[in-house]
Structure formats: structure tokens, C-alpha cells
Amino acid sequence: MALLNILQYPDERLHKVAKPVAEVDERIRTLIDDMAETMYAARGIGLAATQVNVHERVLVIDLSEEHNELAAFVNPEIIEKDGELVYEEGCLSVPGIYDKVTRAEHVKVRALGRDGQPFEVEAHGLLAVCLQHEIDHLNGHVFVEYLSRLKQDRIKAKMKKHERNNL
């Protein structure tokens, strides 16, 4: 397994729409493993392939404290959603930034698993928020785009300054 580099907002590559995975093969399983290792090392609960500059529809999530409930979603799609929930979100691609985002409280997602088999999951609360957040990444969107233009501009400036200071 390998640690992957996480793209930082406002990197334009975060806005690239991911392509569907044609086959869940050893390459995709290795990507899932590397993404999981990267997510755990960064102390995150979800990571989309777009964030590690792989523009294929793959994401991983693990909400457990023990890091023992990894879920991999290949070609995920939201097939149902309802309700409304406001949740304070953060993102490994926008470190140190947290803000409230309105999402659906319940989602039903269809995807392929690590084994290539189709499955569906119904999610509520944090898992629903996380799935929507990560699927947004696959569609080329970052959570800060739900915020006001003023907040987006401030976050961009802060991230660019942080990048300059770390060169």
C-alpha cells in the first residue's frame, strides 16, 4: 500500500468529473487500499479518488473510531434522497476549514463493492452526509461551493497563502 498525495483546494483538478470504472480489477482494489491508507493517515472519514488525482468513480468511507469498517464504493450513484440536514463539514482537500452545509438527511446509494458486486445502502445522518460529500468530489465539486461567494473567496485566499508559506 502507498500513501497518496491529496490535492488541495483550489487546485483545478478537484473540479474534474470522474469517469466510471469499467471493471473492478486488481488495479482498482489497489487504489481502494491506497486511498484507505491515505484517508486514515490524514485522519479523515472519507476520500474520493478525485482528491488523489485519480479521475475514476471510486470512494472510501470509514466512520468507525477503530478504522475497521471500511466501505468502498465504485461507480456510486444516489438513487433516492429526502429530508434535510445541516451539518458542519470539513474536507481533507480543504484542511482546517469547517462550515455548515445543507444536505439530504437520507440517501440511498447504488454502487459496486471492492469485489465488483453491486449493492445498495440506505444512509442517514453522518453517513448520508459523507456519501453526498464524496460523490460531489467525483462530480467535480468541493463542499465550499455550497458557501457564499465571500466565504469561498476568503477560503481560496487562505489556502493559497498556506500553500505559499509551505513552499
Side-chain angles (χ1 to χ4, degrees):
M1 292 197 299
L3 285 177
L4 305 171
N5 183 47
I6 298 173
L7 300 177
Q8 303 289 297
Y9 181 81
D11 192 309
E12 284 301 313
R13 294 171 290 181
L14 289 168
H15 299 291
K16 191 170 180 178
V17 177
K19 293 182 174 15
V21 172
E23 178 187 3
V24 180
D25 55 15
E26 198 54 41
R27 182 184 65 82
I28 295 298
R29 285 187 283 278
T30 298
L31 174 63
I32 289 167
D33 293 341
D34 291 347
M35 287 173 58
E37 183 177 359
T38 302
M39 175 185 70
Y40 293 139
R43 301 172 66 141
I45 60 172
L47 187 67
T50 300
Q51 292 176 269
V52 293
N53 202 28
V54 176
H55 302 284
E56 295 182 88
R57 299 189 73 78
V58 178
L59 64 88
V60 294
I61 293 174
D62 188 343
L63 304 181
S64 72
E65 295 283 327
E66 301 79 22
H67 298 158
N68 61 358
E69 296 177 18
L70 182 69
F73 296 79
V74 178
N75 297 334
E77 60 178 315
I78 297 171
I79 55 175
E80 286 178 24
K81 62 182 178 178
D82 60 64
E84 192 173 280
L85 173 70
V86 177
Y87 205 88
E88 186 167 79
E89 295 186 28
C91 181
L92 295 176
S93 291
V94 195
I97 304 296
Y98 301 89
D99 214 317
K100 291 183 169 80
V101 176
T102 302
R103 302 270 190 189
E105 197 280 327
H106 163 262
V107 295
K108 187 176 197 178
V109 173
R110 178 184 301 137
L112 300 176
R114 171 189 182 86
D115 58 3
Q117 295 302 306
F119 71 96
E120 291 182 3
V121 63
E122 292 209 32
H124 301 270
L126 179 57
L127 180 56
V129 167
C130 196
L131 281 163
Q132 292 169 86
H133 178 109
E134 300 308 335
I135 291 170
D136 271 357
H137 277 300
L138 299 178
N139 294 328
H141 301 293
V142 181
F143 90 99
V144 297
E145 294 169 20
Y146 289 95
L147 307 177
S148 71
R149 174 63 59 200
L150 177 63
K151 282 186 178 182
Q152 288 180 50
D153 290 344
R154 285 183 179 163
I155 291 167
K156 268 185 198 170
K158 183 175 183 177
M159 296 301 294
K160 285 180 179 177
K161 181 179 178 185
H162 178 72
E163 183 180 331
R164 278 193 308 272
N165 291 341
N166 288 330
L167 289 180

